[in-house]
Every structure is written in C-alpha cells, then in structure tokens.
Amino acid sequence: MARGSTRPTSRDVAQAAGVSQAAVSLVLGDKWRGRVSEATAERVREAARDLGYRPNLAARNLRLGRTRTVLLVVPALTTEFFAGVYTGAARVAAEHGFGVVLYPSPEGVGPARDPFASAQAALDGVIASSMAADALTAIRGDQLPLVMLDSDPEGSLGAATVNLDIADGVRQVAEHLLSLGHRRFLHLAADVPSWTFEVRARELASRLRDVPGTSVRTTRAPISIEGAVTATEAALSLPGPRPTALVCDDDKLAAGAYKAVRRLGLRVPDDVSVTGLDDLALATAIDPELTTVRLDAELFGERGMRALLAVMEGRAPEGGDIPVQLVVRGSTAPPGLP
C-alpha cells in the first residue's frame, strides 16, 4: 500500500482493493449497483475501513459547486451583538439552502489560525466584520466571495459592504446632549483599530466643533468593564472643569464608566450624564437605565447574508446604511451646577 499523505486517499483504497479509483468512487458514492460486482464493492468497503478512509466531502462539493456553506468571521463573542448578527445571517441563509459557520477571531482582532484545511475548499463565501478583517488573510477568505460589515466602503476588501448608520447614531447622541445643555464632553473611545470606531470619533468631534463653547476630551480603553473603569476614573480626576457628559463607544464601556463615576462619589445623571451605543441587554440592567443607540443586529446579519447571495449570483446588493435609533433613558439629564 502506498500512502500519498498522512490522510489516506481514494488512490490508496483503490490500490489496497486492487481496483480503479473510478470503482472506489462508485462504491463509496453508493452508485455501484449494476456497474461493479457485489464482491468488488465489499472489497472496496473493507479496504476503506482498514485504511480509515473518509471522502473529502468539502472538496467534492466544491467541484460540484454546492458547498452551500458561508463563514461569518466576527471578533471574539464578548457581547450578544454578534450573536444577533449570526441569527439574522443564518435565517436568510436557511431560506436559500445555505448553512452559516460562525468563526470568532480568537483575540477579538488580529490574525487568526485557519480553521479549515483550506477555506476555499470548504466554503462558498465569507461575511466578515472589519474588527476581524486581519483573520481573512489567514483563512484566505479574501479569495472567496466576500462581504464586509462595519467597513469603509472606499477601502473595503469585499465585493460589497453593509453598514449600520453609526455616524447618524453619534449625531443623535450629540444632539440629545447638546439640547440638554451639555458643553463639556468626555469621549470614552474603544481602543480598537477599526473603521467603525474611527467614524464615532470623527462624527462626535465634527458635531461638537459646530457649537461654540463646547470642549471634548478623549480617553481610550479596551472594550472591557475593567478597562473602562480605569480610563474613566483617571479622566474624571484630571484638574480643571469636569466633563458633564460622557459619550461611550459602546454599552460595555458605559457600564464601566458607571462604576468609575460612583467610585469618585459622583452620580449618574446628576453629576455626569452617560450614553452608550448598541442597546445591549445590560443597557436596561444597570441603574439608571442607559441612554444609548439601538443597533438592529439581526437585520445587520440579514442584510449581510443577502448581500453575499447577491455577490455570488452576480447581482448588485441592496444599497444604503441601516438606520439606527437613539433610545433615551435615565442616564442623561441637564448638567448640574459647576
């Protein structure tokens, strides 16, 4: 017996059984009746069992053009947001006979190991968040039909991009806080090199720049409760007039900001108003409930999957960003006395 690799091949099975590879394909594909004898079929099956041979279904399906599998590459699953994206994508995929494999980049951002012997041999297409874009190189996903989520349309790796209207969400937050009378702002920014967070910083600075008498400081933190506590406590302890409004890049950062505010003996919203972005479950679990921007994660996933189907079929995907909505709750109020 000659093995071409550590994994036995159909050629190995054919040599062990003393038949052609075509006969092996017929027997293991259950299409042998009337074409090879029962004795030959049994000899092939026995050789396959002895060698531990398993057909490479992914490669066979790729040749037939029907893997019907899509990879969804996201940052590490640290919030339920990306679970919602998966739910939406999987729902649309199922309607079209596709399955979705969820692949969280192990470090949240940055390169990831290839979960497949070859992504190209196992997948029909890829949907990827810009926060996990570096993982695409490792899995060679950029060589497949690709749709990017939360990605700069001008510099996207993908054949199409699908975005939430994050810029409008930030504008809604700024308008709300300005209308309450806030003029001293602290931006608690996610310390993540991603286009979506660059948009948040740019839009907030742009909107506040248009209003005389406003100021904004920026402090960065990893997307974690502990990181947000440390960064917020340090920023609010700096000398000079204290910010009256704290704009957080996401709800998890806002939850950490709450803890920092309380550690400093201050109150939300009496001393500091706080806003988030995402409208995760924790937005209504903390007290007071968080004013934040609601992002429709499931619709995001649905639109991403519909765009990928369009790309694979050579059609133009639906255009336009997905609208977002400010949800005003108890964490914002007019600023107190200096």
Side-chain angles (χ1 to χ4, degrees):
M1 179 187 68
R3 298 191 186 212
S5 65
T6 56
R7 175 175 175 165
T9 67
S10 61
R11 179 178 296 177
D12 297 330
V13 175
Q15 290 178 347
V19 299
S20 68
Q21 281 184 266
V24 171
S25 295
L26 288 171
V27 173
L28 298 183
D30 200 26
K31 297 177 181 178
W32 59 272
R33 291 172 181 80
R35 305 173 79 171
V36 300
S37 69
E38 175 73 46
T40 298
E42 181 53 37
R43 196 160 69 247
V44 169
R45 286 192 290 265
E46 183 178 353
R49 283 195 299 270
D50 289 346
L51 292 173
Y53 172 75
R54 295 186 305 278
N56 187 340
L57 296 177
R60 184 180 72 185
N61 283 341
L62 183 66
R63 288 194 300 273
L64 297 175
R66 58 170 191 242
T67 61
R68 314 298 287 183
T69 303
V70 168
L71 186 69
L72 174 60
V73 185
V74 300
L77 296 174
T78 52
T79 74
E80 73 265 24
F81 178 79
F82 287 104
V85 172
Y86 170 81
T87 299
R91 181 163 52 239
V92 171
E95 293 170 359
H96 293 82
F98 281 80
V100 177
V101 177
L102 181 64
Y103 182 48
S105 178
E107 301 302 323
V109 294
R113 290 177 299 172
D114 187 347
F116 308 98
S118 170
Q120 290 173 280
L123 301 167
D124 281 331
V126 177
I127 305 169
S129 160
S130 66
M131 289 176 66
D134 288 345
L136 293 172
T137 303
I139 66 170
R140 297 183 293 283
D142 52 352
Q143 298 175 35
L144 288 161
L146 171 64
V147 167
M148 294 297 298
L149 307 179
D150 253 352
S151 183
D152 183 354
E154 300 303 318
S156 174
L157 296 170
T161 57
V162 176
N163 286 320
L164 295 151
D165 198 347
I166 296 295
D168 184 58
V170 173
R171 285 191 291 268
Q172 290 181 50
V173 167
E175 293 295 342
H176 170 64
L177 293 170
L178 287 168
S179 71
L180 290 173
H182 292 279
R183 295 296 181 267
R184 296 195 304 274
F185 293 80
L186 174 64
H187 178 204
L188 182 56
D191 193 13
V192 176
S194 172
W195 175 82
T196 185
F197 293 118
E198 292 171 4
V199 168
R200 295 166 211 219
R202 184 173 64 245
E203 288 301 322
L204 181 63
S206 174
R207 181 64 191 93
L208 298 183
R209 200 163 43 235
D210 293 340
V211 179
T214 60
S215 63
V216 58
R217 291 186 205 159
T218 299
T219 187
R220 299 188 177 279
I223 303 179
S224 69
I225 301 292
E226 298 76 15
V229 170
T230 301
T232 304
E233 198 165 0
L236 292 180
S237 299
L238 291 172
R242 188 178 62 239
T244 62
L246 177 48
V247 179
C248 302
D249 269 357
D250 83 340
D251 292 353
K252 181 176 278 192
L253 292 176
Y258 270 45
K259 292 185 72 172
V261 168
R262 288 184 173 132
R263 284 186 185 180
L264 293 171
L266 304 173
R267 293 170 299 170
V268 175
D270 306 69
D271 301 301
V272 183
S273 286
V274 179
T275 64
L277 201 150
D278 278 344
D279 200 23
L280 304 177
L282 66 78
T284 54
I286 55 181
D287 185 34
E289 294 187 356
L290 180 65
T291 294
T292 187
V293 176
R294 179 171 295 156
L295 309 180
D296 192 333
E298 291 192 19
L299 178 58
F300 198 23
E302 289 179 7
R303 282 276 299 273
M305 187 65 216
R306 292 191 196 283
L308 183 59
L309 290 169
V311 168
M312 290 191 292
E313 294 168 6
R315 296 183 288 108
E318 178 183 351
D321 292 346
I322 298 170
V324 302
Q325 178 188 3
L326 179 69
V327 181
V328 177
R329 300 194 179 102
S331 68
T332 51
L337 295 175

